[in-house]
Amino acid sequence: MGIKVLAVANQKGGVGKTTTALSLGAALHRLGKKTVVMDLDPHACASIHLAHYPEDLTHTVLDIFYAEKDDVPELWKKIIHQEQKPGFDFAAASIRLSELEMDLKSRPGRGAIFKDALEPLKGEYDYIVLDCPPHVGVLLVNALVASDLVIIPIQTDFLALHGLRLLFDTIRTLNRVLARPIRFRALPTMFDRRAGACRRVLNLLRKKLGDKMFETVINLDTNFREASAKGKVIYEIDENSRGAIEYSLLAKEIVANEDA
């Protein structure tokens, strides 16, 4: 089975998670792949970035967790927005996603709700990209269980390596009970080739993770900050910038390795 659902996850914030979800969604669209990006983070950073303010929305991904199974296909039509400029479709978050931990506490099979809910969309989209919350909980577990591949953005900084252990522990725990192990690959981000520390971290990651790392490395690019300030993705700022080219390379790498 090919890769369909990509979960962008890291339990450390500030590593380029939302930037990766949005930029990759746009890059996949530019390759002619029909893509939907979904915001599963209660902080709703991706949603706000694209001017989908949770307080103004009637329907968000939150509704999926409370819906009856038969209602899910029609509900998706109300939740998913078509983004004209980045080109991908988008499903916004709700700040009330943070309440799910308590609300689903006694629900059987609560870790697989989202996996089941995505089934009706798999015939409609080439790729479903999930922007995950940074903390372990029912939301992150749902995203990991639903994924065909977990993309882990790792800032090339020694402190960022500590967050990795937490995520790997979560994946290992889930793999003990899942029929199909969770696949993951690490994506080095915010790389500054001028900094010796960055180069050392990148070499360390390659040594430790081997083929569990993407070939693509995302370098520092001020266009990401510019895009964020304007509520755009990097391709709308400068499609020939280093960052834009690198996310295009990442998209090509994912498509090329789809059945690997």
Side-chain angles (χ1 to χ4, degrees), residues 8 10 15-16 20-21 24 150-156 185-190 202 205 209 212-218 246-247 250 253:
V8 183
N10 193 323
V15 295
T20 293
L24 178 58
V150 180
I151 297 171
I152 309 172
I154 307 173
Q155 185 180 354
T156 44
R185 290 182 85 182
L187 174 70
T189 60
M190 302 181 190
L202 184 60
L205 286 169
L209 296 175
K212 296 292 187 187
M213 238 173 92
F214 285 104
E215 290 291 326
T216 305
V217 176
I218 309 298
E246 286 163 353
Y247 274 107
L250 175 65
E253 195 175 342

Side-chain angles (χ1 to χ4, degrees), residues 124-167:
E124 293 183 40
Y125 291 99
D126 296 307
Y127 289 98
I128 299 166
V129 181
L130 310 178
D131 187 19
C132 301
H135 52 274
V136 177
V138 71
L139 270 171
L140 181 58
V141 168
N142 265 270
L144 295 178
V145 169
S147 70
D148 297 311
L149 179 69
V150 180
I151 297 171
I152 309 172
I154 307 173
Q155 185 180 354
T156 44
D157 173 271
F158 279 105
L159 287 175
L161 296 178
H162 291 289
L164 263 189
R165 195 176 302 128
L166 293 169
L167 187 58

